[in-house]
Amino acid sequence: MSAGPNNDDWVWVANPDHYILHEIGDSTFAFSRVSGTTHMLNLVSRAMLDYLAEHPKTLTQIIAGFAAYLEVPPEECPSGVVRRLFGELDEVGLVERVEP
């Protein structure tokens, strides 16, 4: 399902019409209506999904803005972690590339 390897200028979105979320404690289960698979997300992964559902963003914008979205200092949310987290959501098909 992954569109990777990813170009930092491609535009991405999480479309809430393509998944169903169910929360249990600090975990969220995301059922993909597209693939028919269920994925377990932690709080940060869920926040990334919510962040991408707000409006389309490039990977550059995601990396630059995710720490602020979480309301944490950038050093607590390094770009490598953001990139890896995004890549995992892409790999399981919970985010999709859109035309700008």
Side-chain angles (χ1 to χ4, degrees), residues 7-92:
N7 178 307
D8 289 355
D9 296 320
W10 288 349
V11 179
W12 298 90
V13 68
N15 184 340
D17 292 337
H18 293 179
Y19 54 83
I20 299 170
L21 301 177
H22 182 74
E23 295 179 18
I24 299 177
D26 287 343
S27 296
T28 298
F29 293 87
F31 172 74
S32 171
R33 292 178 168 155
V34 177
S35 69
T37 57
T38 300
H39 308 280
M40 189 170 101
L41 308 176
N42 62 22
L43 292 171
V44 179
S45 297
R46 168 64 190 272
M48 172 75 73
L49 200 61
D50 292 342
Y51 181 58
L52 291 169
E54 287 182 340
H55 60 81
K57 298 168 182 63
T58 65
L59 187 51
T60 299
Q61 292 169 324
I62 295 165
I63 292 168
F66 190 57
Y69 178 80
L70 293 177
E71 299 179 347
V72 300
E75 55 273 1
E76 288 186 28
C77 193
S79 62
V81 171
V82 175
R83 187 179 293 274
R84 187 188 86 239
L85 178 59
F86 168 81
E88 291 171 359
L89 292 176
D90 178 29
E91 183 66 35
V92 298

